[in-house]
Amino acid sequence: MSIVVTTVSKIYGNQRAVDNVSFELKKGEIVGFLGPNGAGKSTTMKMICGYLPTTTGSIKVCGSDVNDKPLDVKRSVGYLPESNPLYYDMYVREYLEMSAGIHGIKKPKDRIEEMIALTGLGKEAHKKIGMLSKGYKQRVGLAQAMLHNPDVLILDEPTTGLDPNQIIEIRELITRIGKEKTVLLSTHIMQEVQAMCSRVIIINSGKIVADDAIDKIQQSNTKQDVLIVTFDKQPATDLFNTLKHQSKYELLPNSIRLFTNNPDALRKEVMQLALDNNISINTMNTETLSLEDIFRTLTANN
């Protein structure tokens, strides 16, 4: 296994930021690490990289214990933190040369040019980092993380600040890299997870609440469906509280999403409700729970 996290906790005073977390990642996996803000994602990532010590438990990266052999772990890991730390007064190549020196990379110029090409920095590589757009700063961070050719990549919000075209390019890059390396990435964008990841780990209040392949998580959480109803104009909200076969609902402009474990019975209820209250229905469709719906259900206390 590339990453083995075993019963790890991180405690700050009376707060358990991470609570008895365990999971494993193998080579060739791209795993999405999901959770609401403050759930413990970044703390866990920092502990895997060796930037934060664990309070209890153990972490091994490529066979090396994070506490016993921190330098071996850092050689094996490329890390892009959420707040991408860069030296704005340095030129792109100058910064990468410094990073290459820290890692003791042989033939650094060749490797730097390879990373510049791989991350699409060619047109901006002559500039100071402070002159770059946020998206290009993020690319510099990615180039630095991959510069020493690590076996494991830890990416915390890797597409932050990128425009739609750049997001697609970085997704494709991470997907290519993930065929040969282990990638753990944090993101709030569900489409991103479904585009790149075969597996997701969801953490909430410091605890793992789901860890499986995306399709299996969706299958195991499809006890409910979503009935989506659209109207000519928005009816009164309190009408939907009377529906017996809905567990909850979400109002949208001129439409409603009704969660139910009996969509056929709910359809009949909605039709009767519309007739009784002179409501005009445009469409009525049933969908299975999306990954976003499942995420919201599993992290509902936040």
Side-chain angles (χ1 to χ4, degrees):
M1 291 290 175
S2 296
I3 299 174
V4 180
V5 177
T6 307
T7 59
V8 165
S9 295
K10 182 64 179 178
I11 302 172
Y12 298 100
N14 295 323
Q15 180 186 1
R16 281 185 172 267
V18 177
D19 189 1
N20 200 36
V21 162
S22 297
F23 59 85
E24 297 181 355
L25 274 68
K26 61 185 179 182
K27 185 176 181 179
E29 275 195 300
I30 303 177
V31 178
F33 197 33
L34 311 181
N37 291 332
K41 301 187 301 297
S42 294
T43 299
T44 302
M45 289 178 150
K46 288 175 182 176
M47 288 192 291
I48 293 171
C49 296
Y51 288 98
L52 280 178
T54 63
T55 303
T56 60
S58 66
I59 299 173
K60 289 186 177 180
V61 179
C62 299
S64 297
D65 188 279
V66 170
N67 293 325
D68 295 340
K69 297 181 178 179
L71 288 179
D72 288 347
V73 170
K74 287 178 172 64
R75 291 186 188 101
S76 301
V77 173
Y79 177 44
L80 177 66
E82 182 180 6
S83 53
N84 186 3
L86 298 169
Y87 293 95
Y88 284 8
D89 288 337
M90 297 182 77
Y91 292 93
V92 172
R93 283 190 174 86
E94 182 185 12
Y95 172 71
L96 294 177
E97 285 169 4
M98 180 191 73
S99 299
I102 292 170
H103 288 291
I105 295 173
K106 296 178 180 179
K107 298 182 179 180
K109 289 186 178 180
D110 291 345
R111 183 61 179 168
I112 287 167
E113 293 308 315
E114 183 182 349
M115 287 299 97
I116 285 172
L118 192 64
T119 54
L121 279 166
K123 294 180 180 179
E124 305 294 317
H126 65 286
K127 294 181 180 179
K128 284 188 175 182
I129 294 172
M131 297 171 62
L132 302 178
S133 68
K134 189 173 182 180
Y136 276 104
K137 288 187 178 92
Q138 197 74 348
R139 290 176 185 232
V140 174
L142 276 170
Q144 178 276 139
M146 296 185 294
L147 190 61
H148 60 297
N149 196 25
D151 293 319
V152 173
L153 278 175
I154 307 293
L155 308 176
D156 200 351
E157 303 286 349
T159 58
T160 297
L162 304 186
D163 65 37
N165 290 330
Q166 291 171 334
I167 287 173
I168 292 170
E169 291 170 5
I170 296 300
R171 283 181 188 172
E172 291 173 350
L173 172 60
I174 293 171
T175 301
R176 290 201 306 272
I177 293 167
K179 293 177 181 178
E180 300 178 352
K181 302 183 184 298
T182 303
V183 181
L184 180 66
L185 69 92
S186 168
T187 180
H188 290 291
I189 305 170
M190 296 300 150
Q191 298 94 322
E192 198 160 89
V193 175
Q194 291 177 308
M196 288 188 286
C197 305
S198 57
R199 171 185 163 200
V200 295
I201 298 170
I202 301 177
I203 187 170
N204 186 45
S205 298
K207 295 178 180 289
I208 301 294
V209 294
D211 178 3
D212 213 333
I214 292 176
D215 56 348
K216 290 184 179 179
I217 285 179
Q218 288 180 309
Q219 289 170 11
S220 63
N221 286 275
T222 52
K223 296 176 183 178
Q224 287 198 324
D225 292 303
V226 183
L227 184 65
I228 302 172
V229 187
T230 64
F231 311 96
D232 279 342
K233 57 184 179 180
Q234 191 72 54
T237 305
D238 57 359
L239 289 174
F240 301 100
N241 294 323
T242 64
L243 297 172
K244 295 179 181 179
H245 290 94
Q246 58 92 12
S247 59
K248 65 175 183 177
Y249 61 82
E250 295 176 352
L251 283 172
L252 302 171
N254 292 341
S255 66
I256 190 169
R257 301 177 82 234
L258 297 151
F259 294 78
T260 178
N261 55 13
N262 192 339
D264 291 336
L266 183 59
R267 278 175 177 270
K268 293 177 182 178
E269 272 197 286
V270 171
M271 291 298 293
Q272 189 60 53
L273 181 75
L275 287 172
D276 293 344
N277 293 276
N278 196 28
I279 298 170
S280 178
I281 294 175
N282 289 342
T283 63
M284 192 184 301
N285 298 298
T286 304
E287 296 180 358
T288 57
L289 290 181
S290 67
L291 183 60
E292 183 174 354
D293 289 324
I294 293 168
F295 173 83
R296 292 171 65 185
T297 299
L298 292 173
T299 60
N301 63 314
N302 277 269

